[in-house]
Each structure stands twice: as structure tokens, then as C-alpha cells.
């Protein structure tokens, strides 16, 4: 097992898992949902939810001394593919070329009935 990574600047895990695990040159960040870590509440609307998820991921990456530039793989889970363009536009503002690999899938339900969840894999040289 690798080293667990934790920050109070992102929501605590809501189950038996770590916010992230560092394993060798890789960091595996668990799926983040749009919970505001200050309030513990889910933010409303797809735009706000997408921003909050990316902010939560960024907080964990910062704790791991990494950035979005180190991310090699994103997985985005959407409640509805109708939100794809909105999420894609917001997501794109956090990244620069070369962009990481990505998968985006529509799922029937997410924790706390949120609209979006994302996880990432980081590679550090």
C-alpha cells in the first residue's frame, strides 16, 4: 500500500477510502463530488458542482505537491450527458496542453445524488 494523502481543504471521505494514495511515481485521487468542505453541503447546479469538484481535486493535488499539469488521466462521471458541454467548458479552464487522457461516462446515480464526480491519476517523474 502507498502513502495516504489527506487535506481539510477537500471533503473528508464518506466511506472506507482515502482522498488519495501515493504509490511510487503515481498518485490516485479518489472520486470527488461537489461537497463544499467548509459547509459539508452539496453545492447546487451543474456549473457550481463542476467548479467545486475541480476545486476539491486541486486541494488534494496541492496537498500531494502536484498540479493539474501532473494529471495523466481524468475520469468524469455525469448524471446526464446533456451536461457534457457545460462540464467540458469548465474543465478545460483548469487544464493546459498537453491535455490528460480522459473518459466521460453517464451513470444512473452518484453519491448524494450529485450531477458530477471526477477522479484523477497523477504521474510524477
Amino acid at each position: 500500500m502507498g502513502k495516504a494523502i489527506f487535506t481539510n481543504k477537500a471533503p473528508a471521505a464518506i466511506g472506507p477510502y482515502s482522498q488519495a494514495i501515493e504509490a511510487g511515481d503515481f498518485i490516485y485521487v479518489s472520486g470527488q463530488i461537489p461537497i463544499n468542505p467548509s459547509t459539508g453541503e452539496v453545492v447546487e447546479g451543474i456549473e457550481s458542482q463542476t467548479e467545486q469538484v475541480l476545486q476539491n481535486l486541486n486541494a488534494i493535488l496541492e496537498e500531494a505537491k502536484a498540479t493539474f499539469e501532473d494529471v495523466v488521466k481524468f475520469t468524469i462521471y455525469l448524471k446526464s450527458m446533456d451536461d457534457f458541454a457545460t462540464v467540458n467548458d469548465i474543465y478545460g479552464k483548469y487544464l493546459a496542453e498537453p491535455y490528460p487522457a480522459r473518459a466521460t461516462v453517464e451513470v444512473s446515480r452518484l453519491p448524494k445524488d450529485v450531477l458530477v464526480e471526477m477522479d484523477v491519476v497523477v504521474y510524477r517523474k
Side-chain angles (χ1 to χ4, degrees):
M1 179 73 119
K3 173 187 160 201
I5 296 167
F6 174 78
T7 178
N8 288 325
K9 295 178 183 175
I14 57 175
Y17 60 90
S18 298
Q19 287 176 332
I21 292 289
E22 184 174 353
D25 292 334
F26 290 92
I27 300 168
Y28 299 89
V29 181
S30 294
Q32 294 299 300
I33 61 174
I35 294 175
N36 179 321
S38 299
T39 66
E41 299 295 321
V42 172
V43 299
E44 296 296 321
I46 190 61
E47 294 90 354
S48 295
Q49 287 197 7
T50 303
E51 289 282 355
Q52 187 66 62
V53 167
L54 288 160
Q55 290 169 18
N56 293 345
L57 287 169
N58 189 55
I60 295 167
L61 292 173
E62 284 180 355
E63 184 67 23
K65 297 178 178 42
T67 70
F68 282 117
E69 291 179 7
D70 301 310
V71 173
V72 295
K73 176 71 165 62
F74 255 90
T75 305
I76 302 174
Y77 308 91
L78 296 175
K79 171 81 174 163
S80 172
M81 274 296 180
D82 292 340
D83 294 326
F84 180 86
T86 300
V87 170
N88 199 51
D89 287 345
I90 296 167
Y91 160 92
K93 293 175 187 174
Y94 284 77
L95 302 170
E97 291 188 41
Y99 299 117
R102 182 178 87 181
T104 304
V105 295
E106 181 179 272
V107 296
S108 63
R109 192 166 181 203
L110 291 164
K112 297 191 176 275
D113 293 318
V114 300
L115 304 174
V116 60
E117 178 175 359
M118 298 181 198
D119 63 57
V120 299
V121 177
V122 171
Y123 175 71
R124 290 196 296 195
K125 300 169 194 158

